[in-house]
Amino acid sequence: THLLSQIKLLAPCSPGKIVAIAMNYHSHLGEKNAPLVPEPFFKTPSSVINPMDEIIIPREAVKVQEEAELSVVIGHRCKRVTKNNALDYVLGYTCGNDVSERNWQSNDVQWWRGKSSDTFAPLGPFIVTDLDPGNLRISGRIGNRVVQDSNTSQMIHDVPTIIEFISRVVTLEPGDVIMTGTPGEPQDINPGDIVEIEIEGIGTLKNPIRAE
């Protein structure tokens, strides 16, 4: 047994793929219509970093923001499951930060650059295995300023629905991660900031920001 202060925590899994869900909270939609089905996109595994690792803002970036997200870690090979049994395939839950470059996200044909730049997927600090993903407080802080504060009960598409939808066409493997969307209005992050993503029952994912 060791004190947390004596060790360095790594990201709690090494996903073969990260499937993230766009526009999954009404508070994040603005005037857009709610999607009728989950809207997945991929983030690359190479964007994963550990708790307390630096999020590095690329020198070409214009506007980078944090996104607090409940992240689902798959525990068993998962193909064409239903909402009724989807959670049987989940190992547990962790905090995720879907770091996003908004200028690239808005203007590129694909979101690969805006969502998958190196260091744009912090995960951690732990995987917690016995939680109700449909009722967890989720918040994001920049420094001591709370910029996001919501509950996963406000998701448009809940976790079982998301897993059912994805697994119809993509096989989810153990260790894969689903990032379930972000609430509210994420804010800009800048060099020198410290970003914290906190989810009830899991803990706090903390990462400093620096420029490339």
Side-chain angles (χ1 to χ4, degrees):
T1 301
H2 302 273
L3 296 174
L4 282 174
S5 60
Q6 297 175 331
I7 62 173
K8 175 177 175 58
L9 290 177
L10 304 180
C13 60
S14 298
K17 54 186 169 291
I18 305 167
V19 186
I21 305 299
M23 301 184 294
N24 201 31
Y25 286 82
H26 287 287
S27 60
H28 187 60
L29 290 177
E31 297 182 357
K32 298 177 182 176
N33 293 326
L36 297 179
V37 297
E39 292 289 346
F41 60 91
F42 287 112
K43 290 174 74 82
T44 58
S46 61
S47 62
V48 173
I49 58 171
N50 309 310
M52 288 306 297
D53 281 1
E54 293 175 315
I55 298 169
I56 300 172
I57 297 178
R59 62 176 61 98
E60 297 86 359
V62 176
K63 184 181 181 70
V64 179
Q65 296 189 328
E66 49 72 44
E67 288 194 3
E69 307 208 6
L70 175 69
S71 297
V72 181
V73 182
I74 298 299
H76 305 283
R77 195 168 191 268
C78 177
K79 177 67 174 179
R80 287 202 174 275
V81 302
T82 68
K83 287 189 286 187
N84 291 334
N85 67 352
L87 296 186
D88 295 340
Y89 294 82
V90 172
L91 172 64
Y93 307 91
T94 193
C95 303
N97 188 349
D98 178 20
V99 182
S100 305
E101 208 291 351
R102 299 304 189 195
N103 187 58
W104 298 341
Q105 185 180 352
S106 297
N107 295 301
D108 292 355
V109 173
Q110 299 271 341
W111 286 4
W112 72 275
R113 184 166 63 143
K115 292 288 192 176
S116 289
S117 294
D118 291 345
T119 75
F120 274 23
L123 293 173
F126 316 110
I127 298 170
V128 179
T129 58
D130 188 18
L131 289 177
D132 174 7
N135 185 25
L136 299 171
R137 186 175 181 181
I138 180 170
S139 62
R141 295 186 294 273
I142 302 174
N144 294 320
R145 180 167 57 101
V146 177
V147 295
Q148 294 178 279
D149 190 3
S150 187
N151 191 287
T152 59
S153 63
Q154 301 302 306
M155 285 184 190
I156 296 169
H157 302 290
D158 62 14
V159 170
T161 301
I162 291 168
I163 294 173
E164 179 186 66
F165 185 80
I166 293 170
S167 71
R168 289 174 185 167
V169 293
V170 173
T171 301
L172 295 167
E173 302 286 354
D176 285 349
V177 169
I178 301 171
M179 301 180 82
T180 57
T182 200
E185 299 181 3
Q187 299 295 308
D188 295 354
I189 54 176
N190 297 288
D193 288 338
I194 295 178
V195 178
E196 295 178 302
I197 309 302
E198 183 173 359
I199 300 178
E200 178 184 359
I202 298 174
T204 302
L205 171 63
K206 186 174 182 178
N207 296 93
I209 314 300
R210 76 170 172 89
E212 184 180 13

